Amino acid sequence: MRHERQVELLKRVGASGDHFAGLHAPQSVVQPASAYADPERFAEELRVLFRNGPTLLGLSCEMPSPGDYLSTVLDGIPILAVRQADGSVRAMINACRHRAAPLVTERAGNIGRSIVCGYHGWTYDTGGTLLARPLSAGAFDDVTITCDLHRVAVAEQYGLIFVRAGSAEPIDVDATLGGAQDDLGAFRLDTYTHIETRTNEWAMNWKLVLDTFTESYHIRWLHKNTIAPAFNSDCVIYDGFGRNCLSVGLRANVLDELAKPEDEWSLLPYGTIQYFLVPNALVVHQLDHVEVWRLEPLDVGRVRTHTSIFAPEPPDERALKYWTRNLDLLLQVTGTEDFPTMERIQAALSSGAVPEVVYGRIEPPLIHFHRAVDEALAAAEA
Ligand code: FES
Ligand SMILES: [Fe+2]
């Protein structure tokens, strides 16, 4: 993150007054439980945000070499993106043109020089053009439809790869990032090394995964036996970037930095710098690494999460253990403290007995995120 930007954010903290009240949102918001529990609303979110809108597929450094691929499922649509020999990325529907079998079944890997369907062996080049229907003795020669894989839109910039599951309508990455590219570009995400990704499923609405990380307010209570002593619970720095937003959680001793001369200030040792790329991703810059959360909503009350860790350089054996331990800890705290609570919240909201939740002025990124989703749904309806 650029030094001037770190100074600007730290100045906001310094000027925020008692209990950091100057960082609060102007107004609290009451949100109906149906935002988390109504299947019809969920179907609309999938259509508007996950099918029609761009979503983050992953980081460029997860598929650096020709033949490397990433796959996902968005509103039921199976997507496969492959790095081409010329360095570009193509994205296709991950369903064979013969009888729609999946072409890859793993989340990530390398397909080599061609894509071969595991059902009857139809073979495509890495861009999805049909090359061969082996051992069929010409039995498909009278088929008149094109049997190349269906293409979908993909775009890559700032070390981020976006896809649009529902169509080939081009993706404007700058418009998608809404201004967050100034910070994200400075992180040079394309130079990182992917260490590991772990996949889990949770019994909660997809938005509750992101809610978990939007605010620091819960740290003092929910994490009182783990990370609470090291972190500030009253304070979160917030910025909005179109649909996306920044939420910076701060260490308890952040004000120490402001005692130094300004040209020595650094936010990085004090901040968990989180970019919410609405709808499906969270990119977190920690002092010495990057974490990425990606979501695949499965049902109104069920979500799959992919949690990845990235290091600034290729690790040796010792570094690899260190990064793996980092990921262990992240998943341990979220998996034993945050997400079990979120699953119980989902159960309460789905019961019909809790009509609404409240987002307070101390939780500005939470307010932003839900407003962004609500506005996207309203705009699609208009
Ligand atoms: S479904 Fe792929 S070759 Fe038959
Ligand atoms: Fe938490």
Side-chain angles (χ1 to χ4, degrees), residues 266-287:
S266 176
L267 174 65
L268 302 182
Y270 300 95
T272 303
I273 302 172
Q274 309 176 107
Y275 296 86
F276 291 77
L277 302 183
V278 177
N280 74 320
L282 175 64
V283 177
V284 185
H285 185 275
Q286 301 276 18
L287 177 61

Side-chain angles (χ1 to χ4, degrees), residues 212-213 215 218-219 222-223 227 333-334 337-338:
T212 301
F213 300 99
E215 42 83 13
H218 72 282
I219 290 178
L222 190 63
H223 301 307
I227 60 171
V333 172
T334 50
E337 297 183 0
D338 294 285

Side-chain angles (χ1 to χ4, degrees), residues 57-58 164-165 186 235 285 305 382:
L57 177 70
R164 190 193 302 280
C235 173
H285 185 275
T305 56

Side-chain angles (χ1 to χ4, degrees), residues 311-324:
E313 52 205 27
D316 57 20
E317 209 174 306
R318 192 153 153 264
L320 191 60
K321 274 194 191 142
Y322 172 76
W323 298 125
T324 305

Side-chain angles (χ1 to χ4, degrees), residues 104-164:
V104 302
T105 52
E106 300 294 320
R107 192 194 67 85
N110 186 291
I111 52 156
R113 294 212 183 130
S114 56
I115 305 171
V116 182
C117 179
Y119 199 2
H120 312 90
W122 282 28
T123 302
Y124 305 83
D125 70 15
T126 56
T129 301
L130 182 71
L131 296 176
R133 296 184 265 230
L135 301 176
S136 59
F140 296 92
D141 286 358
D142 57 335
V143 173
T144 52
I145 60 166
T146 313
C147 287
D148 299 337
L149 298 180
H150 294 292
R151 297 273 295 271
V152 299
V154 62
E156 181 175 34
Q157 214 174 338
Y158 309 112
L160 301 164
I161 301 171
F162 290 90
V163 292
R164 190 193 302 280

Side-chain angles (χ1 to χ4, degrees), residues 62 66 75 114 145 197 245 248 269 271 325 345 347-348:
E62 288 178 86
D75 191 18
S114 56
I145 60 166
T197 295
C245 69
V248 184
R325 178 89 188 113
I345 289 172

